Amino acid sequence: MEENPPKIDKGIWKLSVDGSSCITGSGAGLVLTSPGGWMLEYALRFKFKATNKEAEWEALIAGLMIAKHLEVRKIEASSDSQLVVGLANGEYEAREDPMVKYLSHFQGMKSAFEVLRILKVPRAENVRADQLSKLATAEELEKN
């Protein structure tokens, strides 16, 4: 047992996101969990070409939009994308035009939340969102 268990804010929703881009398309995986443990999972397929960096941003923005529509006020989002987390937290400067646009869109969404934290997690801790993003880009989906 841990000596100092992490303090959990009961009012904070958790959002895990992952974007995926491959030859068959691009998409996102999202897992949104309420403070009480209620879970929503999404596999989103994008109808446009996106680089992996863009898919990571799209995943975060889609997850935050869903949370906003559910009137979530406090949220902690986690991503395994160093770039997205670094840009969102102001640790990196956006240089490429698409990254500037995504960052600007993200900044505009921040006011919808009382608390918005963006955390970098190791890929191993983002497994479910990663699986959902891979599902979203699976070739079989296109055959329908």
Side-chain angles (χ1 to χ4, degrees):
M1 219 168 119
E2 293 181 68
E3 288 179 19
N4 296 320
K7 290 182 183 175
I8 298 169
D9 185 331
K10 300 254 186 259
I12 293 210
W13 287 61
K14 304 283 185 187
L15 173 65
S16 296
V17 301
D18 194 27
S20 178
S21 179
C22 61
I23 199 156
T24 59
S26 58
L30 316 170
V31 180
L32 182 62
T33 309
S34 75
W38 183 66
M39 192 179 292
L40 293 167
E41 295 184 330
Y42 294 87
L44 307 174
R45 186 176 182 90
F46 303 143
K47 298 283 187 185
F48 55 89
K49 287 187 189 245
T51 65
N52 211 50
K53 295 185 282 190
E54 291 166 345
E56 295 282 359
W57 266 118
E58 291 287 344
L60 176 60
I61 288 170
L64 291 175
M65 287 182 75
I66 291 165
K68 180 181 168 184
H69 286 296
L70 292 173
E71 298 180 7
V72 169
R73 299 298 299 143
K74 298 178 181 179
I75 191 162
E76 185 176 274
S78 57
S79 170
D80 59 27
S81 170
Q82 184 75 44
L83 177 68
V84 170
V85 174
L87 286 168
N89 288 328
E91 297 160 8
Y92 296 170
E93 186 182 324
R95 295 212 168 99
E96 302 166 22
D97 193 46
M99 296 303 110
V100 171
K101 287 178 180 167
Y102 280 116
L103 183 58
S104 174
H105 188 67
F106 168 76
Q107 299 287 7
M109 295 182 75
K110 285 169 74 171
S111 64
F113 303 96
E114 212 176 287
V115 173
L116 172 56
R117 289 195 289 262
I118 311 293
L119 306 174
K120 166 78 171 80
V121 293
R123 193 169 297 232
E125 289 177 29
N126 210 26
V127 174
R128 188 60 186 150
D130 180 58
Q131 289 171 335
L132 291 165
S133 74
K134 299 292 187 277
L135 173 65
T137 59
E139 206 169 353
E140 295 81 53
L141 290 180
E142 230 172 66
K143 292 176 183 165
N144 291 336

